Amino acid sequence: MIVWLNGTHGAGKTTTSRLVQQLLPDSRVFDAEKVGETLMDISPGLPETDNFQHWPPWRPLVVETARRVLDYTGGTLVMPMTVLVEEYWREISAGLARYGIPVRHFVLHADQETLRGRIDGDLVMGPSAFRRAYLAPYAEAARTWLHAEAEVVDTTDLTPAQAAQRIAAAVDG
């Protein structure tokens, strides 16, 4: 099984994924961003883009990597990864479905003001124009398709531990 934690930057995906992993027996965190980082390391580089998700190899490599890890380890993969392009989500979810891998898709949501505050107040990464640039695309995805495709967990007034408990209870329930 895959527990996919979607949502934009500042929603708490990375922190929450580690906490969900601790609550779900036989689970591991797999950050699909590492697949993108591998593609970014190719030299000479792939065609210029502002987001590695736009590279066609990224999506099937995420599917294949998740499948191979699950074949090897069993259990559950907790995957914190923002996917705001509906076509990309459909490609990934269809690829996982072809392998018979069940996916619980959660969106960690917070209002725009809360997200801006989290991004600007991030003590680890610091304020980030890159992360702020995804606030409007997230709002559009949430409005048009994303919230209809997932279980929404509003983190505006939740700690990451509370969000993780809600997700783990939903998966176990």
Side-chain angles (χ1 to χ4, degrees):
M1 169 187 284
I2 290 174
V3 175
W4 194 290
L5 302 185
N6 205 337
T8 196
H9 304 285
K13 296 179 307 297
T14 300
T15 302
T16 302
S17 68
R18 289 187 210 110
L19 297 168
V20 169
Q21 184 274 322
Q22 294 170 13
L23 296 171
L24 294 178
D26 196 25
S27 65
R28 291 168 174 73
V29 174
F30 166 44
D31 188 343
E33 186 169 328
K34 301 301 182 190
V35 174
E37 290 174 4
T38 297
L39 293 173
M40 289 168 47
D41 284 343
I42 292 173
S43 181
L46 297 177
E48 190 68 30
T49 183
D50 64 341
N51 185 329
F52 57 72
Q53 291 185 16
H54 299 319
W55 286 324
W58 180 77
R59 298 172 303 277
L61 284 171
V62 166
V63 170
E64 193 60 28
T65 304
R67 177 186 76 90
R68 297 280 180 160
V69 170
L70 285 171
D71 283 352
Y72 181 62
T73 64
T76 299
L77 287 181
V78 180
M79 295 182 63
M81 187 70 221
T82 299
V83 178
L84 301 179
V85 176
E86 183 178 9
E87 176 187 339
Y88 298 173
W89 175 251
R90 299 236 180 268
E91 186 178 338
I92 290 167
S93 59
L96 295 168
R98 276 193 297 278
Y99 288 120
I101 300 170
V103 177
R104 291 293 296 269
H105 184 198
F106 294 89
V107 170
L108 301 185
H109 173 79
D111 61 65
Q112 293 282 305
E113 182 179 329
T114 299
L115 291 168
R116 267 189 216 86
R118 289 177 185 171
I119 291 167
D120 292 343
D122 190 320
L123 298 175
V124 176
M125 296 183 73
S128 166
F130 172 83
R131 295 170 83 205
R132 279 192 299 272
Y134 283 89
L135 293 176
Y138 167 73
E140 179 65 12
R143 185 185 67 74
T144 58
W145 71 273
L146 183 58
H147 283 195
E149 292 290 321
E151 300 170 63
V152 178
V153 178
D154 190 330
T155 67
T156 302
D157 297 315
L158 295 179
T159 66
Q162 291 168 323
Q165 289 168 347
R166 285 193 185 179
I167 292 164
V171 170
D172 282 341

